[in-house]
Amino acid sequence: MDPSPPGASTEAECAAASVSPPPDSSSSTAAEDLAGGVARMSLTLDERFHLLKGIGEECIQHDELMQLLQDKKKPVPICYDGFEPSGRMHIAQGIMKTINVNKMIKAGCKVKIWIADWFAQLNNKMGGDLDKIHTVGRYMIEIWKAAGMNLDGVEFLWSSEEINKRADVYWPLVMDIARKNNIKRITRCCTIMGRADNEELTAAQILYPCMQCADIFFLEADICQLGMDQRKVNMLAREYSDDTKRERKPIILSHRMLPGFKEGQEKMSKSDPSSAIFMEDDEAQVNLKIKQAFCLANIVEGNPCLEYIMYIVFPWFERFEVVRKEKNGGNKTFLSMDDLTADYVSGALHPADVKPALAKAINEILKPVRDHFSTSHEAKVLLKTVKEYRVSS
């Protein structure tokens, strides 16, 4: 449960002091089981199923998900999510993950969030400096806390610490996965690291997919809840389950990747700050980025502003409020994406209506995070340090 990595000592590292000390493992497990039990009592089986299924742009497989929820031997399914601590956090990672984790908790699951510090080192993030990677990891946890992630059923696990604790379990898994796959199959998975299929890879990066595949079994995950960009390695885990005749394969819930704000950007990128909203961006920065965003009138396909409304605003507020002058149609509250899309296609809703309304909604969502990083000394230190890493790394 402890979100603090081993060996924290510098001021930036001690900035995790605002994170509550972990309870003992028995009491934390009891609390998580209780949370799962409350969810099962408050929601029907179908409600739990549709809540989880709705997280993914793709679900593999629906029937397996239903069977899992019906399994009395598995009263609290384990959902696995993970991230490389690799710099400032954008809104897709901050808010979409918060939304999805809260849905999983509501559906009666336990969520294990894998803080992939060793993986970030393998992928040469932060120049491979593990101390910097640990600081970034703590900064990201602070954001999720401030954003409203329900931590009652969440367990943050640092990969380096957990692997060292049970190396006798982990490394034989990695070796067996590596033995059962050829280089060509593994390199096809290297896109999970943001690397191209034909890119020259280090030996460490070849090892990465085998390790990420092993994580799923090491964490005893029933559900892999990651982005569509991680689909290949999750499918590798299902293939490995077939190879080893495992009774149950991990279910894959792959959420949609939010696009960047520029035309044709299929995925938000940290390397292009103008195309992504960061979790500590101030109001002026958010307003400017959305004002400059690609948003063709009447066109829904490939429109990043509408995707933000669909995947961020509606899940958060369950509505989208447009404020405009009477001569332009007056104020309107949309309660469904279908209604909004119909107005947009017809021209009744214009980009000049959408953009300020979207900026207002995003700024409201981000306000608690801004407040936390402006009032908490520890959070301020973490943010300042991470921003300096971006400049120097």
Side-chain angles (χ1 to χ4, degrees), residues 291-302:
K291 183 179 180 180
Q292 295 176 342
F294 177 72
C295 188
L296 287 181
N298 311 106
I299 305 298
V300 174
E301 190 73 25

Side-chain angles (χ1 to χ4, degrees), residues 218-388:
F218 182 68
L219 296 173
E220 300 179 343
D222 302 298
I223 299 171
C224 299
Q225 204 297 287
L226 299 165
M228 285 294 292
D229 60 339
Q230 304 297 302
R231 183 184 188 278
K232 289 181 179 179
V233 76
N234 290 335
M235 292 303 295
L236 182 69
R238 285 180 64 88
E239 292 169 13
Y240 179 71
S241 296
D242 287 334
D243 291 341
T244 53
K245 296 179 171 56
R246 290 176 180 256
E247 182 180 348
R248 178 177 283 155
K249 292 183 278 192
I251 295 157
I252 304 171
L253 288 176
S254 302
H255 67 254
R256 183 167 179 78
M257 306 301 295
L258 271 187
F261 278 131
K262 296 181 180 177
E263 183 176 5
Q265 285 185 323
E266 294 184 359
K267 181 181 174 183
M268 193 181 298
S269 173
K270 294 180 184 180
S271 60
D272 184 358
S274 65
S275 75
I277 291 175
F278 292 98
M279 290 296 291
E280 341 75 32
D281 278 348
D282 60 33
E283 285 194 32
Q285 289 171 317
V286 170
N287 293 341
L288 179 61
K289 289 177 181 181
I290 293 177
K291 183 179 180 180
Q292 295 176 342
F294 177 72
C295 188
L296 287 181
N298 311 106
I299 305 298
V300 174
E301 190 73 25
N303 190 321
C305 290
L306 297 191
E307 293 220 18
Y308 269 67
I309 295 168
M310 182 172 182
Y311 293 103
I312 297 287
V313 179
F314 268 113
W316 197 267
F317 295 110
E318 298 182 344
R319 67 187 187 278
F320 183 68
E321 296 181 348
V322 172
V323 177
R324 57 190 173 185
K325 296 177 180 178
E326 286 297 328
K327 67 177 182 178
N328 294 328
N331 299 348
K332 185 165 183 179
T333 298
F334 293 93
L335 299 179
S336 76
M337 194 66 198
D338 287 343
D339 289 345
L340 186 150
T341 299
D343 270 17
Y344 195 81
V345 171
S346 72
L349 185 66
H350 191 269
D353 305 325
V354 167
K355 288 186 174 184
L358 175 58
K360 182 180 178 182
I362 296 297
N363 278 318
E364 188 174 339
I365 292 170
L366 295 183
K367 186 178 185 302
V369 178
R370 292 192 196 111
D371 290 348
H372 180 64
F373 278 87
S374 64
T375 58
S376 164
H377 171 70
E378 293 83 3
K380 278 183 184 178
V381 172
L382 280 171
L383 178 57
K384 179 176 181 292
T385 306
V386 170
K387 284 183 173 180
E388 288 172 352

